[in-house]
Amino acid sequence: MSDSKVNMVSPPEGLTGEGFFATKLNDVVGLARANSLWPLPFATSCCGIEFMATMAAHYDLARFGSERVSFSPRQADMLLVMGTISKKMAPILRQVYEQMSEPRWVIAVGACASSGGVFDTYSVLQGIDKVIPVDVYVSGCPPRPEQIVDGVMRLQELVKSESVRRRSSPEYQELLASYNIS
């Protein structure tokens, strides 16, 4: 076995021993952000009830680092929009989004938040992506708690792989400008 052993490169001097490892800053920050998301629920309908079940003991979203549910936008970084959003409510939703701390992420939970659902009327917003950028869509009417957990896990993967400098990139600034957000 020692004859077929691949020659291993030894680590640089001073980077070995207990408690030392080499990695990239993006990876460490991404891992920390992904496992400490602070959700802000914006629930208006039945999807809000499913979110309550998701936070309860049986599904326990706290296992994924979302223990602290915030009801203040300035103390949250993950907005979960659940339920039917009327056009009159759209400016309030946008204000809540703008008050959130950077970096901020959005999950559209359920058919109503994603596309207006079965309410194709003059008063219902046909998807929250008309007023704020959305990172993850969770399908269903209403979605099961497992689907909401899956949506949070998909967002965690996105956050882990996101560059620390992405939020100051020209592409991101252009995205916000397309929503008239400065």
Side-chain angles (χ1 to χ4, degrees), residues 40-44 73 79-100 106-108 113 125 127-134 181:
L40 170 64
F42 194 94
T44 60
L79 178 62
L80 290 110
V81 181
M82 301 164 271
T84 310
I85 305 297
S86 68
K87 288 183 180 175
K88 279 188 171 185
M89 203 181 309
I92 306 305
L93 176 63
R94 183 185 173 101
Q95 182 179 13
V96 167
Y97 175 78
E98 289 175 348
Q99 289 178 352
M100 289 175 61
V106 177
I107 299 178
L125 188 65
I128 63 166
D129 56 359
K130 305 278 191 257
V131 291
I132 59 174
V134 175
I181 298 173

PDB file of all heavy atoms in Angstrom, residues 40-44 73 79-100 106-108 113 125 127-134 181:
ATOM      1  N   LEU A  40     -38.029  36.983   9.865  1.00  0.00           N
ATOM      2  CA  LEU A  40     -39.098  37.942  10.121  1.00  0.00           C
ATOM      3  C   LEU A  40     -40.323  37.441   9.375  1.00  0.00           C
ATOM      4  O   LEU A  40     -40.370  37.495   8.152  1.00  0.00           O
ATOM      5  CB  LEU A  40     -38.716  39.334   9.626  1.00  0.00           C
ATOM      6  CG  LEU A  40     -39.819  40.389   9.609  1.00  0.00           C
ATOM      7  CD1 LEU A  40     -40.308  40.686  11.022  1.00  0.00           C
ATOM      8  CD2 LEU A  40     -39.328  41.667   8.953  1.00  0.00           C
ATOM      9  N   PRO A  41     -41.317  36.884  10.073  1.00  0.00           N
ATOM     10  CA  PRO A  41     -42.510  36.402   9.383  1.00  0.00           C
ATOM     11  C   PRO A  41     -43.430  37.557   9.007  1.00  0.00           C
ATOM     12  O   PRO A  41     -43.708  38.425   9.823  1.00  0.00           O
ATOM     13  CB  PRO A  41     -43.168  35.477  10.408  1.00  0.00           C
ATOM     14  CG  PRO A  41     -42.653  35.928  11.725  1.00  0.00           C
ATOM     15  CD  PRO A  41     -41.323  36.565  11.496  1.00  0.00           C
ATOM     16  N   PHE A  42     -43.868  37.578   7.760  1.00  0.00           N
ATOM     17  CA  PHE A  42     -44.858  38.540   7.266  1.00  0.00           C
ATOM     18  C   PHE A  42     -46.011  37.690   6.771  1.00  0.00           C
ATOM     19  O   PHE A  42     -46.090  37.340   5.599  1.00  0.00           O
ATOM     20  CB  PHE A  42     -44.247  39.381   6.140  1.00  0.00           C
ATOM     21  CG  PHE A  42     -45.042  40.607   5.788  1.00  0.00           C
ATOM     22  CD1 PHE A  42     -44.741  41.826   6.361  1.00  0.00           C
ATOM     23  CD2 PHE A  42     -46.079  40.536   4.879  1.00  0.00           C
ATOM     24  CE1 PHE A  42     -45.468  42.969   6.038  1.00  0.00           C
ATOM     25  CE2 PHE A  42     -46.814  41.665   4.545  1.00  0.00           C
ATOM     26  CZ  PHE A  42     -46.504  42.889   5.124  1.00  0.00           C
ATOM     27  N   ALA A  43     -46.867  37.291   7.700  1.00  0.00           N
ATOM     28  CA  ALA A  43     -47.907  36.307   7.398  1.00  0.00           C
ATOM     29  C   ALA A  43     -49.277  36.968   7.382  1.00  0.00           C
ATOM     30  O   ALA A  43     -49.620  37.723   8.287  1.00  0.00           O
ATOM     31  CB  ALA A  43     -47.876  35.200   8.438  1.00  0.00           C
ATOM     32  N   THR A  44     -50.043  36.662   6.331  1.00  0.00           N
ATOM     33  CA  THR A  44     -51.374  37.237   6.215  1.00  0.00           C
ATOM     34  C   THR A  44     -52.472  36.182   6.096  1.00  0.00           C
ATOM     35  O   THR A  44     -53.626  36.512   6.251  1.00  0.00           O
ATOM     36  CB  THR A  44     -51.460  38.149   4.974  1.00  0.00           C
ATOM     37  OG1 THR A  44     -51.188  37.371   3.821  1.00  0.00           O
ATOM     38  CG2 THR A  44     -50.478  39.296   5.075  1.00  0.00           C
ATOM     39  N   PRO A  73     -38.059  44.583  11.750  1.00  0.00           N
ATOM     40  CA  PRO A  73     -37.254  44.415  10.538  1.00  0.00           C
ATOM     41  C   PRO A  73     -35.787  44.766  10.735  1.00  0.00           C
ATOM     42  O   PRO A  73     -34.924  44.201  10.072  1.00  0.00           O
ATOM     43  CB  PRO A  73     -37.908  45.356   9.529  1.00  0.00           C
ATOM     44  CG  PRO A  73     -39.031  46.017  10.187  1.00  0.00           C
ATOM     45  CD  PRO A  73     -39.151  45.507  11.568  1.00  0.00           C
ATOM     46  N   LEU A  79     -36.608  37.473   5.416  1.00  0.00           N
ATOM     47  CA  LEU A  79     -38.025  37.815   5.378  1.00  0.00           C
ATOM     48  C   LEU A  79     -38.796  36.655   4.764  1.00  0.00           C
ATOM     49  O   LEU A  79     -38.494  36.224   3.654  1.00  0.00           O
ATOM     50  CB  LEU A  79     -38.232  39.088   4.551  1.00  0.00           C
ATOM     51  CG  LEU A  79     -39.663  39.583   4.360  1.00  0.00           C
ATOM     52  CD1 LEU A  79     -40.294  39.944   5.704  1.00  0.00           C
ATOM     53  CD2 LEU A  79     -39.679  40.784   3.428  1.00  0.00           C
ATOM     54  N   LEU A  80     -39.757  36.135   5.497  1.00  0.00           N
ATOM     55  CA  LEU A  80     -40.640  35.087   4.990  1.00  0.00           C
ATOM     56  C   LEU A  80     -41.996  35.714   4.745  1.00  0.00           C
ATOM     57  O   LEU A  80     -42.695  36.074   5.698  1.00  0.00           O
ATOM     58  CB  LEU A  80     -40.769  33.942   5.995  1.00  0.00           C
ATOM     59  CG  LEU A  80     -39.521  33.096   6.156  1.00  0.00           C
ATOM     60  CD1 LEU A  80     -38.901  33.334   7.497  1.00  0.00           C
ATOM     61  CD2 LEU A  80     -39.869  31.655   5.985  1.00  0.00           C
ATOM     62  N   VAL A  81     -42.366  35.870   3.482  1.00  0.00           N
ATOM     63  CA  VAL A  81     -43.658  36.448   3.132  1.00  0.00           C
ATOM     64  C   VAL A  81     -44.601  35.292   2.869  1.00  0.00           C
ATOM     65  O   VAL A  81     -44.371  34.476   1.980  1.00  0.00           O
ATOM     66  CB  VAL A  81     -43.547  37.369   1.897  1.00  0.00           C
ATOM     67  CG1 VAL A  81     -44.900  37.981   1.584  1.00  0.00           C
ATOM     68  CG2 VAL A  81     -42.513  38.445   2.141  1.00  0.00           C
ATOM     69  N   MET A  82     -45.683  35.235   3.670  1.00  0.00           N
ATOM     70  CA  MET A  82     -46.606  34.111   3.611  1.00  0.00           C
ATOM     71  C   MET A  82     -48.022  34.621   3.457  1.00  0.00           C
ATOM     72  O   MET A  82     -48.479  35.405   4.278  1.00  0.00           O
ATOM     73  CB  MET A  82     -46.493  33.293   4.901  1.00  0.00           C
ATOM     74  CG  MET A  82     -45.112  32.762   5.135  1.00  0.00           C
ATOM     75  SD  MET A  82     -44.845  32.221   6.812  1.00  0.00           S
ATOM     76  CE  MET A  82     -44.296  33.715   7.582  1.00  0.00           C
ATOM     77  N   GLY A  83     -48.686  34.193   2.409  1.00  0.00           N
ATOM     78  CA  GLY A  83     -50.085  34.533   2.243  1.00  0.00           C
ATOM     79  C   GLY A  83     -50.329  35.565   1.169  1.00  0.00           C
ATOM     80  O   GLY A  83     -49.423  36.016   0.474  1.00  0.00           O
ATOM     81  N   THR A  84     -51.584  35.945   1.069  1.00  0.00           N
ATOM     82  CA  THR A  84     -52.050  36.879   0.052  1.00  0.00           C
ATOM     83  C   THR A  84     -51.589  38.295   0.400  1.00  0.00           C
ATOM     84  O   THR A  84     -51.805  38.762   1.515  1.00  0.00           O
ATOM     85  CB  THR A  84     -53.585  36.849  -0.022  1.00  0.00           C
ATOM     86  OG1 THR A  84     -54.012  35.498  -0.135  1.00  0.00           O
ATOM     87  CG2 THR A  84     -54.084  37.633  -1.203  1.00  0.00           C
ATOM     88  N   ILE A  85     -50.959  38.958  -0.555  1.00  0.00           N
ATOM     89  CA  ILE A  85     -50.527  40.331  -0.373  1.00  0.00           C
ATOM     90  C   ILE A  85     -51.359  41.206  -1.306  1.00  0.00           C
ATOM     91  O   ILE A  85     -51.308  41.040  -2.529  1.00  0.00           O
ATOM     92  CB  ILE A  85     -49.022  40.497  -0.680  1.00  0.00           C
ATOM     93  CG1 ILE A  85     -48.177  39.533   0.159  1.00  0.00           C
ATOM     94  CG2 ILE A  85     -48.584  41.941  -0.484  1.00  0.00           C
ATOM     95  CD1 ILE A  85     -48.257  39.748   1.654  1.00  0.00           C
ATOM     96  N   SER A  86     -52.123  42.117  -0.728  1.00  0.00           N
ATOM     97  CA  SER A  86     -52.929  43.016  -1.551  1.00  0.00           C
ATOM     98  C   SER A  86     -52.049  44.143  -2.081  1.00  0.00           C
ATOM     99  O   SER A  86     -50.961  44.403  -1.555  1.00  0.00           O
ATOM    100  CB  SER A  86     -54.089  43.592  -0.738  1.00  0.00           C
ATOM    101  OG  SER A  86     -53.588  44.455   0.262  1.00  0.00           O
ATOM    102  N   LYS A  87     -52.523  44.800  -3.123  1.00  0.00           N
ATOM    103  CA  LYS A  87     -51.751  45.897  -3.710  1.00  0.00           C
ATOM    104  C   LYS A  87     -51.615  47.058  -2.728  1.00  0.00           C
ATOM    105  O   LYS A  87     -50.630  47.779  -2.759  1.00  0.00           O
ATOM    106  CB  LYS A  87     -52.395  46.350  -5.012  1.00  0.00           C
ATOM    107  CG  LYS A  87     -52.209  45.329  -6.108  1.00  0.00           C
ATOM    108  CD  LYS A  87     -52.785  45.783  -7.422  1.00  0.00           C
ATOM    109  CE  LYS A  87     -52.557  44.702  -8.471  1.00  0.00           C
ATOM    110  NZ  LYS A  87     -53.188  45.023  -9.748  1.00  0.00           N
ATOM    111  N   LYS A  88     -52.591  47.217  -1.839  1.00  0.00           N
ATOM    112  CA  LYS A  88     -52.484  48.262  -0.814  1.00  0.00           C
ATOM    113  C   LYS A  88     -51.417  47.922   0.223  1.00  0.00           C
ATOM    114  O   LYS A  88     -50.861  48.800   0.857  1.00  0.00           O
ATOM    115  CB  LYS A  88     -53.828  48.447  -0.096  1.00  0.00           C
ATOM    116  CG  LYS A  88     -54.808  49.289  -0.844  1.00  0.00           C
ATOM    117  CD  LYS A  88     -56.012  49.553   0.036  1.00  0.00           C
ATOM    118  CE  LYS A  88     -56.922  50.574  -0.605  1.00  0.00           C
ATOM    119  NZ  LYS A  88     -58.040  50.928   0.278  1.00  0.00           N
ATOM    120  N   MET A  89     -51.157  46.640   0.407  1.00  0.00           N
ATOM    121  CA  MET A  89     -50.170  46.197   1.381  1.00  0.00           C
ATOM    122  C   MET A  89     -48.746  46.200   0.804  1.00  0.00           C
ATOM    123  O   MET A  89     -47.776  46.181   1.555  1.00  0.00           O
ATOM    124  CB  MET A  89     -50.525  44.780   1.845  1.00  0.00           C
ATOM    125  CG  MET A  89     -49.953  44.423   3.186  1.00  0.00           C
ATOM    126  SD  MET A  89     -50.373  42.755   3.679  1.00  0.00           S
ATOM    127  CE  MET A  89     -52.121  42.713   3.448  1.00  0.00           C
ATOM    128  N   ALA A  90     -48.606  46.255  -0.510  1.00  0.00           N
ATOM    129  CA  ALA A  90     -47.302  46.189  -1.162  1.00  0.00           C
ATOM    130  C   ALA A  90     -46.332  47.274  -0.682  1.00  0.00           C
ATOM    131  O   ALA A  90     -45.163  46.963  -0.412  1.00  0.00           O
ATOM    132  CB  ALA A  90     -47.468  46.233  -2.675  1.00  0.00           C
ATOM    133  N   PRO A  91     -46.745  48.545  -0.528  1.00  0.00           N
ATOM    134  CA  PRO A  91     -45.796  49.539  -0.016  1.00  0.00           C
ATOM    135  C   PRO A  91     -45.309  49.248   1.401  1.00  0.00           C
ATOM    136  O   PRO A  91     -44.158  49.530   1.742  1.00  0.00           O
ATOM    137  CB  PRO A  91     -46.589  50.851  -0.054  1.00  0.00           C
ATOM    138  CG  PRO A  91     -47.699  50.619  -1.004  1.00  0.00           C
ATOM    139  CD  PRO A  91     -48.007  49.154  -0.938  1.00  0.00           C
ATOM    140  N   ILE A  92     -46.163  48.650   2.213  1.00  0.00           N
ATOM    141  CA  ILE A  92     -45.766  48.281   3.582  1.00  0.00           C
ATOM    142  C   ILE A  92     -44.734  47.161   3.537  1.00  0.00           C
ATOM    143  O   ILE A  92     -43.729  47.193   4.245  1.00  0.00           O
ATOM    144  CB  ILE A  92     -46.994  47.857   4.420  1.00  0.00           C
ATOM    145  CG1 ILE A  92     -48.088  48.909   4.403  1.00  0.00           C
ATOM    146  CG2 ILE A  92     -46.583  47.480   5.825  1.00  0.00           C
ATOM    147  CD1 ILE A  92     -47.674  50.288   4.837  1.00  0.00           C
ATOM    148  N   LEU A  93     -44.977  46.164   2.688  1.00  0.00           N
ATOM    149  CA  LEU A  93     -44.022  45.066   2.531  1.00  0.00           C
ATOM    150  C   LEU A  93     -42.671  45.602   2.073  1.00  0.00           C
ATOM    151  O   LEU A  93     -41.630  45.207   2.593  1.00  0.00           O
ATOM    152  CB  LEU A  93     -44.552  44.033   1.531  1.00  0.00           C
ATOM    153  CG  LEU A  93     -43.624  42.877   1.191  1.00  0.00           C
ATOM    154  CD1 LEU A  93     -43.329  42.036   2.430  1.00  0.00           C
ATOM    155  CD2 LEU A  93     -44.238  42.025   0.095  1.00  0.00           C
ATOM    156  N   ARG A  94     -42.694  46.504   1.128  1.00  0.00           N
ATOM    157  CA  ARG A  94     -41.455  47.092   0.628  1.00  0.00           C
ATOM    158  C   ARG A  94     -40.735  47.882   1.723  1.00  0.00           C
ATOM    159  O   ARG A  94     -39.522  47.811   1.866  1.00  0.00           O
ATOM    160  CB  ARG A  94     -41.760  47.999  -0.555  1.00  0.00           C
ATOM    161  CG  ARG A  94     -40.531  48.592  -1.167  1.00  0.00           C
ATOM    162  CD  ARG A  94     -40.957  49.566  -2.245  1.00  0.00           C
ATOM    163  NE  ARG A  94     -39.831  50.278  -2.734  1.00  0.00           N
ATOM    164  CZ  ARG A  94     -39.220  49.996  -3.871  1.00  0.00           C
ATOM    165  NH1 ARG A  94     -39.635  48.995  -4.603  1.00  0.00           N
ATOM    166  NH2 ARG A  94     -38.198  50.700  -4.255  1.00  0.00           N
ATOM    167  N   GLN A  95     -41.490  48.614   2.539  1.00  0.00           N
ATOM    168  CA  GLN A  95     -40.893  49.372   3.631  1.00  0.00           C
ATOM    169  C   GLN A  95     -40.247  48.433   4.649  1.00  0.00           C
ATOM    170  O   GLN A  95     -39.153  48.690   5.137  1.00  0.00           O
ATOM    171  CB  GLN A  95     -41.953  50.237   4.310  1.00  0.00           C
ATOM    172  CG  GLN A  95     -41.415  51.092   5.430  1.00  0.00           C
ATOM    173  CD  GLN A  95     -42.492  51.950   6.074  1.00  0.00           C
ATOM    174  OE1 GLN A  95     -43.688  51.747   5.851  1.00  0.00           O
ATOM    175  NE2 GLN A  95     -42.076  52.907   6.873  1.00  0.00           N
ATOM    176  N   VAL A  96     -40.921  47.345   4.950  1.00  0.00           N
ATOM    177  CA  VAL A  96     -40.355  46.345   5.866  1.00  0.00           C
ATOM    178  C   VAL A  96     -39.048  45.804   5.287  1.00  0.00           C
ATOM    179  O   VAL A  96     -38.044  45.689   5.996  1.00  0.00           O
ATOM    180  CB  VAL A  96     -41.371  45.211   6.132  1.00  0.00           C
ATOM    181  CG1 VAL A  96     -40.713  44.024   6.793  1.00  0.00           C
ATOM    182  CG2 VAL A  96     -42.524  45.721   6.984  1.00  0.00           C
ATOM    183  N   TYR A  97     -39.040  45.479   3.992  1.00  0.00           N
ATOM    184  CA  TYR A  97     -37.834  44.967   3.338  1.00  0.00           C
ATOM    185  C   TYR A  97     -36.695  45.980   3.419  1.00  0.00           C
ATOM    186  O   TYR A  97     -35.569  45.626   3.743  1.00  0.00           O
ATOM    187  CB  TYR A  97     -38.136  44.630   1.877  1.00  0.00           C
ATOM    188  CG  TYR A  97     -36.925  44.198   1.095  1.00  0.00           C
ATOM    189  CD1 TYR A  97     -36.409  42.915   1.215  1.00  0.00           C
ATOM    190  CD2 TYR A  97     -36.279  45.085   0.246  1.00  0.00           C
ATOM    191  CE1 TYR A  97     -35.286  42.523   0.512  1.00  0.00           C
ATOM    192  CE2 TYR A  97     -35.153  44.705  -0.466  1.00  0.00           C
ATOM    193  CZ  TYR A  97     -34.661  43.423  -0.337  1.00  0.00           C
ATOM    194  OH  TYR A  97     -33.540  43.044  -1.027  1.00  0.00           O
ATOM    195  N   GLU A  98     -36.995  47.231   3.151  1.00  0.00           N
ATOM    196  CA  GLU A  98     -35.951  48.261   3.158  1.00  0.00           C
ATOM    197  C   GLU A  98     -35.408  48.520   4.554  1.00  0.00           C
ATOM    198  O   GLU A  98     -34.263  48.951   4.705  1.00  0.00           O
ATOM    199  CB  GLU A  98     -36.486  49.561   2.548  1.00  0.00           C
ATOM    200  CG  GLU A  98     -36.685  49.468   1.052  1.00  0.00           C
ATOM    201  CD  GLU A  98     -37.321  50.709   0.459  1.00  0.00           C
ATOM    202  OE1 GLU A  98     -37.826  51.563   1.221  1.00  0.00           O
ATOM    203  OE2 GLU A  98     -37.309  50.821  -0.778  1.00  0.00           O
ATOM    204  N   GLN A  99     -36.200  48.270   5.587  1.00  0.00           N
ATOM    205  CA  GLN A  99     -35.746  48.489   6.959  1.00  0.00           C
ATOM    206  C   GLN A  99     -34.897  47.341   7.492  1.00  0.00           C
ATOM    207  O   GLN A  99     -34.259  47.485   8.529  1.00  0.00           O
ATOM    208  CB  GLN A  99     -36.939  48.705   7.882  1.00  0.00           C
ATOM    209  CG  GLN A  99     -37.627  50.018   7.685  1.00  0.00           C
ATOM    210  CD  GLN A  99     -38.841  50.182   8.581  1.00  0.00           C
ATOM    211  OE1 GLN A  99     -39.264  49.243   9.265  1.00  0.00           O
ATOM    212  NE2 GLN A  99     -39.403  51.367   8.586  1.00  0.00           N
ATOM    213  N   MET A 100     -34.890  46.218   6.783  1.00  0.00           N
ATOM    214  CA  MET A 100     -34.118  45.061   7.255  1.00  0.00           C
ATOM    215  C   MET A 100     -32.622  45.329   7.132  1.00  0.00           C
ATOM    216  O   MET A 100     -32.179  46.103   6.279  1.00  0.00           O
ATOM    217  CB  MET A 100     -34.483  43.815   6.457  1.00  0.00           C
ATOM    218  CG  MET A 100     -35.864  43.295   6.754  1.00  0.00           C
ATOM    219  SD  MET A 100     -36.325  41.925   5.702  1.00  0.00           S
ATOM    220  CE  MET A 100     -35.094  40.718   6.126  1.00  0.00           C
ATOM    221  N   VAL A 106     -35.008  36.917   1.060  1.00  0.00           N
ATOM    222  CA  VAL A 106     -36.471  36.825   1.049  1.00  0.00           C
ATOM    223  C   VAL A 106     -36.894  35.444   0.570  1.00  0.00           C
ATOM    224  O   VAL A 106     -36.372  34.934  -0.426  1.00  0.00           O
ATOM    225  CB  VAL A 106     -37.089  37.901   0.121  1.00  0.00           C
ATOM    226  CG1 VAL A 106     -38.603  37.760   0.063  1.00  0.00           C
ATOM    227  CG2 VAL A 106     -36.700  39.293   0.588  1.00  0.00           C
ATOM    228  N   ILE A 107     -37.861  34.865   1.285  1.00  0.00           N
ATOM    229  CA  ILE A 107     -38.488  33.615   0.871  1.00  0.00           C
ATOM    230  C   ILE A 107     -39.971  33.900   0.657  1.00  0.00           C
ATOM    231  O   ILE A 107     -40.646  34.413   1.558  1.00  0.00           O
ATOM    232  CB  ILE A 107     -38.323  32.503   1.929  1.00  0.00           C
ATOM    233  CG1 ILE A 107     -36.851  32.186   2.164  1.00  0.00           C
ATOM    234  CG2 ILE A 107     -39.073  31.246   1.509  1.00  0.00           C
ATOM    235  CD1 ILE A 107     -36.606  31.135   3.229  1.00  0.00           C
ATOM    236  N   ALA A 108     -40.475  33.604  -0.536  1.00  0.00           N
ATOM    237  CA  ALA A 108     -41.903  33.711  -0.829  1.00  0.00           C
ATOM    238  C   ALA A 108     -42.520  32.355  -0.539  1.00  0.00           C
ATOM    239  O   ALA A 108     -42.226  31.367  -1.211  1.00  0.00           O
ATOM    240  CB  ALA A 108     -42.123  34.104  -2.288  1.00  0.00           C
ATOM    241  N   ALA A 113     -48.081  34.301  -2.204  1.00  0.00           N
ATOM    242  CA  ALA A 113     -46.920  35.194  -2.181  1.00  0.00           C
ATOM    243  C   ALA A 113     -46.098  35.056  -3.452  1.00  0.00           C
ATOM    244  O   ALA A 113     -45.503  36.027  -3.919  1.00  0.00           O
ATOM    245  CB  ALA A 113     -46.058  34.898  -0.964  1.00  0.00           C
ATOM    246  N   LEU A 125     -51.786  41.426  -5.307  1.00  0.00           N
ATOM    247  CA  LEU A 125     -50.476  41.494  -5.954  1.00  0.00           C
ATOM    248  C   LEU A 125     -50.140  40.122  -6.537  1.00  0.00           C
ATOM    249  O   LEU A 125     -50.187  39.124  -5.816  1.00  0.00           O
ATOM    250  CB  LEU A 125     -49.424  41.921  -4.934  1.00  0.00           C
ATOM    251  CG  LEU A 125     -48.043  42.239  -5.449  1.00  0.00           C
ATOM    252  CD1 LEU A 125     -48.079  43.462  -6.363  1.00  0.00           C
ATOM    253  CD2 LEU A 125     -47.104  42.497  -4.289  1.00  0.00           C
ATOM    254  N   GLY A 127     -47.660  38.202  -7.090  1.00  0.00           N
ATOM    255  CA  GLY A 127     -46.286  37.822  -6.776  1.00  0.00           C
ATOM    256  C   GLY A 127     -45.545  38.968  -6.124  1.00  0.00           C
ATOM    257  O   GLY A 127     -45.565  40.098  -6.627  1.00  0.00           O
ATOM    258  N   ILE A 128     -44.886  38.679  -5.005  1.00  0.00           N
ATOM    259  CA  ILE A 128     -44.180  39.744  -4.284  1.00  0.00           C
ATOM    260  C   ILE A 128     -42.926  40.189  -5.022  1.00  0.00           C
ATOM    261  O   ILE A 128     -42.372  41.239  -4.706  1.00  0.00           O
ATOM    262  CB  ILE A 128     -43.831  39.320  -2.842  1.00  0.00           C
ATOM    263  CG1 ILE A 128     -42.870  38.125  -2.827  1.00  0.00           C
ATOM    264  CG2 ILE A 128     -45.094  39.037  -2.049  1.00  0.00           C
ATOM    265  CD1 ILE A 128     -42.232  37.877  -1.487  1.00  0.00           C
ATOM    266  N   ASP A 129     -42.487  39.398  -6.013  1.00  0.00           N
ATOM    267  CA  ASP A 129     -41.316  39.808  -6.784  1.00  0.00           C
ATOM    268  C   ASP A 129     -41.597  41.018  -7.667  1.00  0.00           C
ATOM    269  O   ASP A 129     -40.707  41.523  -8.329  1.00  0.00           O
ATOM    270  CB  ASP A 129     -40.750  38.650  -7.600  1.00  0.00           C
ATOM    271  CG  ASP A 129     -41.769  38.018  -8.527  1.00  0.00           C
ATOM    272  OD1 ASP A 129     -42.936  38.457  -8.539  1.00  0.00           O
ATOM    273  OD2 ASP A 129     -41.388  37.075  -9.229  1.00  0.00           O
ATOM    274  N   LYS A 130     -42.821  41.514  -7.649  1.00  0.00           N
ATOM    275  CA  LYS A 130     -43.153  42.768  -8.336  1.00  0.00           C
ATOM    276  C   LYS A 130     -42.655  43.970  -7.536  1.00  0.00           C
ATOM    277  O   LYS A 130     -42.466  45.043  -8.092  1.00  0.00           O
ATOM    278  CB  LYS A 130     -44.666  42.894  -8.531  1.00  0.00           C
ATOM    279  CG  LYS A 130     -45.308  41.734  -9.249  1.00  0.00           C
ATOM    280  CD  LYS A 130     -45.161  41.851 -10.737  1.00  0.00           C
ATOM    281  CE  LYS A 130     -46.029  40.846 -11.451  1.00  0.00           C
ATOM    282  NZ  LYS A 130     -45.307  39.712 -11.969  1.00  0.00           N
ATOM    283  N   VAL A 131     -42.461  43.801  -6.206  1.00  0.00           N
ATOM    284  CA  VAL A 131     -42.056  44.931  -5.359  1.00  0.00           C
ATOM    285  C   VAL A 131     -40.722  44.729  -4.643  1.00  0.00           C
ATOM    286  O   VAL A 131     -40.057  45.708  -4.313  1.00  0.00           O
ATOM    287  CB  VAL A 131     -43.153  45.289  -4.323  1.00  0.00           C
ATOM    288  CG1 VAL A 131     -44.365  45.870  -5.007  1.00  0.00           C
ATOM    289  CG2 VAL A 131     -43.521  44.116  -3.468  1.00  0.00           C
ATOM    290  N   ILE A 132     -40.336  43.482  -4.380  1.00  0.00           N
ATOM    291  CA  ILE A 132     -39.046  43.208  -3.731  1.00  0.00           C
ATOM    292  C   ILE A 132     -38.401  41.984  -4.381  1.00  0.00           C
ATOM    293  O   ILE A 132     -39.107  41.107  -4.877  1.00  0.00           O
ATOM    294  CB  ILE A 132     -39.186  42.974  -2.201  1.00  0.00           C
ATOM    295  CG1 ILE A 132     -40.118  41.808  -1.893  1.00  0.00           C
ATOM    296  CG2 ILE A 132     -39.620  44.243  -1.498  1.00  0.00           C
ATOM    297  CD1 ILE A 132     -40.182  41.433  -0.425  1.00  0.00           C
ATOM    298  N   PRO A 133     -37.064  41.916  -4.378  1.00  0.00           N
ATOM    299  CA  PRO A 133     -36.416  40.722  -4.938  1.00  0.00           C
ATOM    300  C   PRO A 133     -36.625  39.498  -4.034  1.00  0.00           C
ATOM    301  O   PRO A 133     -36.619  39.612  -2.814  1.00  0.00           O
ATOM    302  CB  PRO A 133     -34.937  41.109  -5.002  1.00  0.00           C
ATOM    303  CG  PRO A 133     -34.778  42.296  -4.143  1.00  0.00           C
ATOM    304  CD  PRO A 133     -36.113  42.937  -3.974  1.00  0.00           C
ATOM    305  N   VAL A 134     -36.823  38.339  -4.664  1.00  0.00           N
ATOM    306  CA  VAL A 134     -37.065  37.095  -3.936  1.00  0.00           C
ATOM    307  C   VAL A 134     -35.914  36.133  -4.215  1.00  0.00           C
ATOM    308  O   VAL A 134     -35.476  35.984  -5.353  1.00  0.00           O
ATOM    309  CB  VAL A 134     -38.411  36.463  -4.366  1.00  0.00           C
ATOM    310  CG1 VAL A 134     -38.613  35.115  -3.696  1.00  0.00           C
ATOM    311  CG2 VAL A 134     -39.563  37.392  -4.042  1.00  0.00           C
ATOM    312  N   ILE A 181     -34.775  50.633  -5.361  1.00  0.00           N
ATOM    313  CA  ILE A 181     -34.297  50.576  -3.989  1.00  0.00           C
ATOM    314  C   ILE A 181     -32.863  51.073  -3.998  1.00  0.00           C
ATOM    315  O   ILE A 181     -32.032  50.587  -4.755  1.00  0.00           O
ATOM    316  CB  ILE A 181     -34.364  49.149  -3.414  1.00  0.00           C
ATOM    317  CG1 ILE A 181     -35.809  48.662  -3.394  1.00  0.00           C
ATOM    318  CG2 ILE A 181     -33.740  49.092  -2.031  1.00  0.00           C
ATOM    319  CD1 ILE A 181     -35.966  47.203  -3.012  1.00  0.00           C
TER     320      ILE A 181
END
